[in-house]
Amino acid sequence: MYDKIQNRHVTAPPGLGMHVLVNDPSEKTVLSRTYAAEGRFTFTSHLAGEHQICLFSNSSAWFGGNQLRIHLDIRVGEGTNDYSEIASKDKLSELQLRVRQLLDQVQQISKEQNYQRTREERFRQTSESTNQRVLWWAIAQTLILLTVGFGQMRHLKSFFEAKKLV
């Protein structure tokens, strides 16, 4: 918590904390939990896409002057694993740990390739749709130009015939 009088961050009073709410791209709640003044949270999502992370204070004071400082360190992908912790927890040898790291990297590369394929497919659909619209716009312009030209020719012909110049 930041104290304006002391001009520095101080420990938060008891009961002051944050509520964290994380929703996945399909609007399902992945994490909903209240934390004390200090804490850390992690979550694993099984869906790719944009996630919503909402942080709000559990304090009910509107004009209390209390301010919270929040540090967000968002890590995505294979780099989020702490392999020293995994090795001690699962009692893995150095070779087994390295194999696990390589398998995780292969999985991450595979996920990235699938994402790029999906992205390329969406981009191709957008490009084809745009190209089709441009083609129809060009055809419409050509038809309008020919119609106006034909109308002008008929008007000029009737004008000159009325004036008996032709």
Side-chain angles (χ1 to χ4, degrees):
M1 183 173 81
Y2 186 76
D3 187 1
K4 289 182 181 180
I5 298 169
Q6 296 179 7
N7 199 23
R8 66 183 182 96
H9 292 279
V10 295
T11 58
L16 184 63
M18 295 292 296
H19 183 78
V20 178
L21 177 68
V22 180
N23 291 332
D24 65 8
S26 64
E27 298 294 325
K28 291 183 182 171
T29 301
V30 176
L31 175 71
S32 178
R33 188 170 170 197
T34 302
Y35 291 89
E38 291 186 22
R40 88 183 323 167
F41 68 93
T42 60
F43 68 93
T44 303
S45 177
H46 301 289
L47 292 176
E50 185 174 314
H51 288 67
Q52 296 175 346
I53 301 174
C54 298
L55 306 169
F56 34 112
S57 173
N58 63 358
S59 171
S60 62
W62 282 79
F63 302 105
N66 293 334
Q67 295 179 356
L68 289 174
R69 180 174 65 172
I70 300 170
H71 172 77
L72 288 178
D73 184 13
I74 298 176
R75 297 181 189 169
V76 178
E78 186 263 332
T80 60
N81 294 336
D82 184 10
Y83 287 105
S84 59
E85 184 180 314
I86 292 172
S88 63
K89 187 172 107 179
D90 294 344
K91 296 182 176 88
L92 300 176
S93 69
E94 192 170 327
L95 180 62
Q96 290 172 324
L97 182 64
R98 185 66 182 142
V99 168
R100 188 167 198 167
Q101 287 175 334
L102 290 172
L103 285 173
D104 288 346
Q105 287 176 348
V106 167
Q107 283 180 335
Q108 186 65 27
I109 290 170
S110 175
K111 287 179 184 178
E112 183 68 24
Q113 284 178 330
N114 289 336
Y115 171 72
Q116 291 297 337
R117 280 190 196 108
T118 304
R119 192 170 161 197
E120 181 182 358
E121 183 179 334
R122 273 197 329 247
F123 179 73
R124 183 178 176 90
Q125 289 171 350
T126 303
S127 296
E128 287 177 358
S129 171
T130 303
N131 287 339
Q132 188 176 19
R133 290 178 184 163
V134 166
L135 173 69
W136 284 111
W137 179 250
I139 290 171
Q141 282 182 328
T142 304
L143 289 175
I144 290 170
L145 184 66
L146 290 173
T147 304
V148 169
F150 182 71
Q152 287 178 343
M153 296 265 296
R154 285 188 52 145
H155 180 69
L156 282 174
K157 182 179 177 188
S158 65
F159 173 76
F160 289 132
E161 286 175 348
K163 294 291 182 181
K164 299 195 187 217
L165 295 173
V166 177

